[in-house]
Amino acid sequence: MIFQVQPHEDYILVELLVKEANLAYADTFKQEMVKLIDRESKPYIISFKNVDYVDSSFLGALVSSLKYAISKHADIAVAYLNKDILNLFSLIRMDKVFKIHQTLPPQQPA
Amino acid sequence: MDYIKKEVLFEHSTDNIYSFVNTVIDIIRENVHPEKYEPNSSAVKQVIIELCTNAIKHSNCRQSIFMIETDHLFIKISKADSGLPFSLICSNMVLSFPLTLPYTAEPVIIRKDMLSTLLAAPVSMNELVFKYIEHDEPESYDPQDLLEHYGLLIIAKHTFEFTYQYDENSCTNIFKAVIRI
């Protein structure tokens, strides 16, 4: 299982369970996100709390998922980026594309 | 801080990336002063990751040799393999190395979206330099126009110089990323 899903009142939390968000998981992540979005068109927050690094393939899958989400009137934000991942987002200006939460918005699970 | 030059073998598997990246980082940390290394640690780590990813995805061979060089000014990370040569697409034509005239004359756009453009500028029949152009942030944009390929752009943006060389004699591809410290 690449991530676990936890519905909240205003968003759906997608907590990545892999330490290495790389090309080994990119396609699966994209496919699973499409399934989720097809099921429920809500804002999603992807938590990188367990993730040590992200490579370009996984980043591409994240962008692809965002594009799909927007086409379905949903949205994707990210949370808990470590220093290296935050630097990566900033480097290629993904910080202009994704809303970045330091922590999760304070809400109770639905 | 003395000049060092070390080689490390990377077996092309996603299972090997994490330990390989840490091995290379350890070599660099042992030889570069923390004051010089720490501000560049994210760049070093991401460049190694992207070179590994590139090797697994595109080289179509089983292993590559990473060469690590450090001195008081630069960290240089090269990846050499005997897999498929890098190719460029120009005017719907695939250009393979060694390049032939007139295609060596002009930079070729590798990727372009509203945020940045990545170019390959040939400097000879067997070598090119990757360059990027940062675009002004658009007031509004359609995320559907974003590209999904970032590997070479990430390395180009993290480095002082990023090049590709094709050695015709040994049929070896060498990507070299130079990080100024």
Side-chain angles (χ1 to χ4, degrees), chain B residues 107 110 119-123 127-131 160-164:
Chain B
I110 296 179
L119 302 149
V123 291
E127 184 174 6
L128 59 79
V129 178
F130 296 97
K131 297 176 180 296
F160 171 72
E161 186 175 73
F162 179 36
T163 58
Y164 168 79

Side-chain angles (χ1 to χ4, degrees), chain B residues 5 12 32 35 54 56 58 73 90 99 101 122 138 151 163 170:
Chain B
K5 189 173 182 177
H12 295 178
V32 176
E35 280 184 15
N54 180 280
I56 294 167
H58 301 299
L73 286 178
C90 179
L99 297 173
L101 288 170
T163 58
S170 60

Side-chain angles (χ1 to χ4, degrees), chain B residues 80 146 148 151:
Chain B
L146 282 171
E148 296 165 25

Side-chain angles (χ1 to χ4, degrees), chain A residues 58-96:
Chain A
F58 200 89
L59 202 60
L62 194 61
V63 170
S64 175
S65 301
L66 174 70
K67 289 158 75 166
Y68 188 74
I70 288 172
S71 75
K72 298 288 181 181
H73 309 289
D75 195 13
I76 293 178
V78 296
Y80 295 115
L81 306 185
N82 69 24
K83 183 196 81 172
D84 293 334
I85 301 173
L86 190 58
N87 283 344
L88 175 63
F89 271 62
S90 170
L91 180 83
I92 53 165
R93 304 168 84 185
M94 286 296 109
D95 54 346
K96 313 289 181 202

Side-chain angles (χ1 to χ4, degrees), chain A residues 15-69:
Chain A
E15 184 169 11
L16 290 170
L17 300 175
V18 295
K19 186 165 80 170
E20 302 174 74
N22 64 21
L23 71 164
Y25 301 104
D27 284 344
T28 307
F29 172 76
K30 195 160 69 175
Q31 289 160 11
E32 293 300 316
M33 283 305 299
V34 165
K35 283 186 205 167
L36 267 184
I37 294 162
D38 281 343
R39 219 177 298 146
E40 203 161 7
S41 180
K42 280 185 78 170
Y44 288 83
I45 298 179
I46 316 283
S47 168
F48 286 76
K49 208 173 197 171
N50 304 309
V51 178
D52 181 81
Y53 74 82
V54 174
D55 79 353
S56 52
S57 296
F58 200 89
L59 202 60
L62 194 61
V63 170
S64 175
S65 301
L66 174 70
K67 289 158 75 166
Y68 188 74

